[in-house]
Amino acid sequence: MVLGILLSITAIGVVCWLLFTLAIYALPFFAGITVGTWAYGTGAGWPGSIIIGLLAAGLMLVVGQFLFAFARPVWLRLTIGLVFAAPAAVAGYHAVHGIAKHAMPSETWQFIFSVVGAIAIGATAWIRIAGAEPARSGQNFVRG
């Protein structure tokens, strides 16, 4: 019984770690799924739709990080960051809500924890996309 509880806590920790680590990829994932579904609907078949979806997801990630890294206007950087952070926050809300439904019976507390999780995961995605910024003014900083 103790082993089951420890394994459950470990599984929740791993899922939360994955969620925080992969939060930045929520928008490219959704874009890849959407484009892959569209390609399948147009007759590309399973292999073609998977390849097209993966290409669309990779392109979305690379273009988003490139634009965020080299865009000068603050409003443009804010917009790009929000475009990446919003789907991550939505995914975070639903992931935390799924865990909270099993952990507590009160719907109010489920909602509160889900909103806090959405904010935390959205902020994590924002910080990770902001980490793509190049070094300014000739300074080279080592990031670990």
Side-chain angles (χ1 to χ4, degrees):
M1 190 170 216
V2 172
L3 183 61
I5 292 171
L6 291 176
L7 286 175
S8 296
I9 291 171
T10 303
I12 290 171
V14 168
V15 168
C16 290
W17 172 78
L18 279 173
L19 190 59
F20 277 103
T21 302
L22 301 176
I24 193 172
Y25 305 113
L27 177 66
F29 177 75
F30 291 146
I33 292 293
T34 302
V35 171
T37 303
W38 169 80
Y40 183 76
T42 61
W46 283 104
S49 62
I50 290 171
I51 291 170
I52 296 294
L54 288 173
L55 288 174
L59 183 66
M60 174 69 77
L61 180 64
V62 168
V63 168
Q65 287 184 339
F66 178 80
L67 287 175
F68 191 85
F70 294 106
R72 289 281 187 209
V74 175
W75 65 268
L76 182 59
R77 292 172 57 88
L78 179 64
T79 303
I80 295 167
L82 286 176
V83 165
F84 271 82
V90 171
Y93 174 86
H94 289 291
V96 173
H97 189 70
I99 294 170
K101 282 181 104 172
H102 296 292
M104 59 192 67
S106 171
E107 290 184 18
T108 304
W109 282 107
Q110 291 174 9
F111 177 75
I112 290 169
F113 276 98
S114 300
V115 169
V116 169
I119 291 169
I121 293 168
T124 300
W126 175 265
I127 290 168
R128 289 184 56 118
I129 191 73
E133 182 177 349
R136 303 264 187 227
S137 70
Q139 298 174 349
N140 292 322
F141 293 106
V142 177
R143 294 181 188 223

Tab-separated table of all heavy atoms in Angstrom, residues 11-25 121 128:
chain	number	residue	atom	x	y	z
A	11	ALA	N	4.472	9.385	-10.020
A	11	ALA	CA	3.825	9.548	-11.324
A	11	ALA	C	3.285	10.963	-11.489
A	11	ALA	O	3.435	11.569	-12.557
A	11	ALA	CB	2.702	8.531	-11.483
A	12	ILE	N	2.673	11.508	-10.459
A	12	ILE	CA	2.172	12.881	-10.525
A	12	ILE	C	3.331	13.851	-10.703
A	12	ILE	O	3.253	14.796	-11.493
A	12	ILE	CB	1.340	13.219	-9.267
A	12	ILE	CG1	0.025	12.444	-9.292
A	12	ILE	CG2	1.078	14.718	-9.173
A	12	ILE	CD1	-0.767	12.531	-8.019
A	13	GLY	N	4.426	13.616	-9.993
A	13	GLY	CA	5.601	14.475	-10.140
A	13	GLY	C	6.175	14.427	-11.548
A	13	GLY	O	6.548	15.456	-12.118
A	14	VAL	N	6.238	13.230	-12.136
A	14	VAL	CA	6.762	13.098	-13.502
A	14	VAL	C	5.834	13.790	-14.497
A	14	VAL	O	6.302	14.478	-15.414
A	14	VAL	CB	6.962	11.605	-13.860
A	14	VAL	CG1	7.215	11.417	-15.349
A	14	VAL	CG2	8.098	11.023	-13.056
A	15	VAL	N	4.534	13.631	-14.335
A	15	VAL	CA	3.579	14.288	-15.231
A	15	VAL	C	3.692	15.809	-15.110
A	15	VAL	O	3.688	16.518	-16.124
A	15	VAL	CB	2.139	13.806	-14.941
A	15	VAL	CG1	1.115	14.670	-15.642
A	15	VAL	CG2	1.976	12.366	-15.361
A	16	CYS	N	3.816	16.314	-13.900
A	16	CYS	CA	3.973	17.762	-13.717
A	16	CYS	C	5.286	18.256	-14.311
A	16	CYS	O	5.319	19.311	-14.958
A	16	CYS	CB	3.885	18.124	-12.238
A	16	CYS	SG	2.239	17.934	-11.564
A	17	TRP	N	6.363	17.502	-14.130
A	17	TRP	CA	7.645	17.880	-14.714
A	17	TRP	C	7.549	17.917	-16.243
A	17	TRP	O	8.038	18.845	-16.880
A	17	TRP	CB	8.724	16.903	-14.268
A	17	TRP	CG	10.024	17.117	-14.967
A	17	TRP	CD1	10.952	18.089	-14.713
A	17	TRP	CD2	10.533	16.347	-16.058
A	17	TRP	NE1	12.012	17.960	-15.583
A	17	TRP	CE2	11.773	16.902	-16.420
A	17	TRP	CE3	10.056	15.248	-16.759
A	17	TRP	CZ2	12.544	16.387	-17.454
A	17	TRP	CZ3	10.828	14.736	-17.783
A	17	TRP	CH2	12.055	15.311	-18.106
A	18	LEU	N	6.905	16.900	-16.835
A	18	LEU	CA	6.716	16.883	-18.282
A	18	LEU	C	5.885	18.066	-18.741
A	18	LEU	O	6.180	18.683	-19.767
A	18	LEU	CB	6.048	15.578	-18.726
A	18	LEU	CG	6.940	14.371	-18.884
A	18	LEU	CD1	6.112	13.125	-19.152
A	18	LEU	CD2	7.942	14.592	-19.989
A	19	LEU	N	4.852	18.384	-17.992
A	19	LEU	CA	3.985	19.501	-18.351
A	19	LEU	C	4.745	20.816	-18.352
A	19	LEU	O	4.636	21.615	-19.277
A	19	LEU	CB	2.795	19.567	-17.395
A	19	LEU	CG	1.683	20.523	-17.753
A	19	LEU	CD1	1.105	20.189	-19.109
A	19	LEU	CD2	0.592	20.448	-16.708
A	20	PHE	N	5.557	21.051	-17.329
A	20	PHE	CA	6.351	22.279	-17.275
A	20	PHE	C	7.424	22.292	-18.358
A	20	PHE	O	7.703	23.316	-18.956
A	20	PHE	CB	7.001	22.453	-15.900
A	20	PHE	CG	6.081	23.061	-14.893
A	20	PHE	CD1	5.476	22.288	-13.919
A	20	PHE	CD2	5.807	24.411	-14.924
A	20	PHE	CE1	4.629	22.843	-12.996
A	20	PHE	CE2	4.963	24.991	-13.995
A	20	PHE	CZ	4.368	24.201	-13.035
A	21	THR	N	8.041	21.139	-18.608
A	21	THR	CA	9.100	21.072	-19.604
A	21	THR	C	8.558	21.236	-21.019
A	21	THR	O	9.170	21.899	-21.853
A	21	THR	CB	9.837	19.723	-19.494
A	21	THR	OG1	10.345	19.600	-18.170
A	21	THR	CG2	10.984	19.645	-20.475
A	22	LEU	N	7.407	20.657	-21.291
A	22	LEU	CA	6.855	20.666	-22.644
A	22	LEU	C	5.824	21.757	-22.882
A	22	LEU	O	5.192	21.772	-23.934
A	22	LEU	CB	6.247	19.295	-22.948
A	22	LEU	CG	7.204	18.106	-22.852
A	22	LEU	CD1	6.461	16.803	-23.070
A	22	LEU	CD2	8.339	18.255	-23.841
A	23	ALA	N	5.664	22.682	-21.947
A	23	ALA	CA	4.631	23.717	-22.080
A	23	ALA	C	4.829	24.584	-23.311
A	23	ALA	O	3.864	25.000	-23.943
A	23	ALA	CB	4.598	24.591	-20.823
A	24	ILE	N	6.059	24.854	-23.665
A	24	ILE	CA	6.336	25.726	-24.798
A	24	ILE	C	5.899	25.080	-26.121
A	24	ILE	O	5.669	25.756	-27.113
A	24	ILE	CB	7.829	26.097	-24.852
A	24	ILE	CG1	8.064	27.241	-25.806
A	24	ILE	CG2	8.670	24.915	-25.223
A	24	ILE	CD1	9.469	27.778	-25.761
A	25	TYR	N	5.740	23.762	-26.127
A	25	TYR	CA	5.395	23.057	-27.351
A	25	TYR	C	3.890	22.870	-27.540
A	25	TYR	O	3.478	22.175	-28.472
A	25	TYR	CB	6.084	21.702	-27.388
A	25	TYR	CG	7.577	21.805	-27.227
A	25	TYR	CD1	8.211	21.315	-26.100
A	25	TYR	CD2	8.346	22.435	-28.198
A	25	TYR	CE1	9.587	21.425	-25.950
A	25	TYR	CE2	9.711	22.557	-28.052
A	25	TYR	CZ	10.328	22.050	-26.930
A	25	TYR	OH	11.680	22.172	-26.777
A	121	ILE	N	1.917	27.358	-15.443
A	121	ILE	CA	2.388	26.736	-16.673
A	121	ILE	C	2.453	27.756	-17.802
A	121	ILE	O	3.384	27.732	-18.617
A	121	ILE	CB	1.507	25.524	-17.012
A	121	ILE	CG1	1.741	24.450	-15.941
A	121	ILE	CG2	1.802	24.991	-18.406
A	121	ILE	CD1	0.783	23.329	-15.947
A	128	ARG	N	10.233	30.308	-20.935
A	128	ARG	CA	11.009	29.469	-21.849
A	128	ARG	C	11.103	30.088	-23.239
A	128	ARG	O	12.143	30.004	-23.876
A	128	ARG	CB	10.421	28.074	-21.912
A	128	ARG	CG	10.682	27.314	-20.608
A	128	ARG	CD	10.188	25.908	-20.730
A	128	ARG	NE	10.822	25.286	-21.870
A	128	ARG	CZ	11.622	24.230	-21.789
A	128	ARG	NH1	11.872	23.712	-20.618
A	128	ARG	NH2	12.142	23.699	-22.858
